[in-house]
Amino acid sequence: MTDAPLSLDGWEIAKIKGFASLVGPLLRPVERDARTRFGLQTNEMHANPIGSIHGGVLTTLLDQVIAIAAWTVADRQPTVTVQMDTRFLGSAKAGDFLETRAEIRHQTRSLIFVDGEVLRGDTPIATATAVMKISARAGADA
């Protein structure tokens, strides 16, 4: 998907590699202090056969924003998802703009507890709670 919704004021394309890049383009706020948020301008490719945005898209958005929030609070150390519980509260359709947000709830030396939500406008359509583990840096002794 290469169509970028450049008309969305306050958002820019997030340069993300890997699986998450296949969902987007994912957008992030231009405002630097809001970097634990992502946006997605949905289209028909994000929909399931009944026309709603696929739950896998919503889950991917939640996992992405939660992982970035954990990575940020862990001083950019790699983090991995240990557990993520997702609740679907509503729906969205192709053409809807979705925004994701994450908030750190608690942190220990090795675990980070994070809440996330996906919104359609002001309406939450999915939420998640996750446990993230801070892992060793690549190439570091375990």
Side-chain angles (χ1 to χ4, degrees):
M1 285 168 258
T2 58
D3 296 336
L6 299 175
S7 64
L8 292 173
D9 291 334
W11 295 88
E12 64 186 8
I13 294 174
K15 294 175 177 67
I16 298 173
K17 295 179 182 176
F19 177 73
S21 69
L22 300 175
V23 175
L26 293 181
L27 305 170
R28 68 174 53 191
V30 173
E31 183 181 327
R32 293 285 176 199
D33 63 344
R35 291 303 175 125
T36 57
R37 292 170 41 209
F38 283 95
L40 176 67
Q41 179 60 60
T42 64
N43 61 41
E44 299 80 27
M45 295 299 294
H46 299 107
N48 61 25
I50 63 170
S52 296
I53 299 305
H54 195 284
V57 172
L58 301 177
T59 304
T60 297
L61 290 172
L62 285 163
D63 190 49
Q64 183 67 38
V65 74
I66 285 169
I68 293 294
W71 175 76
T72 301
V73 78
D75 294 324
R76 296 183 172 203
Q77 294 181 74
T79 60
V80 296
T81 307
V82 174
Q83 176 180 340
M84 187 170 89
D85 296 318
T86 305
R87 290 156 303 279
F88 298 101
L89 310 172
S91 64
K93 63 182 182 328
D96 286 343
F97 181 76
L98 303 179
E99 183 178 340
T100 60
R101 300 176 186 167
E103 183 177 346
I104 305 298
R105 288 291 174 203
H106 183 71
Q107 180 180 2
T108 69
R109 288 188 309 153
S110 61
L111 297 174
I112 303 168
F113 300 83
V114 189
D115 292 339
E117 65 181 346
V118 178
L119 300 126
R120 184 191 69 241
D122 293 332
T123 304
I125 60 169
T127 62
T129 53
V131 178
M132 305 295 289
K133 179 163 180 49
I134 300 170
S135 63
R137 291 189 185 274
D141 293 329

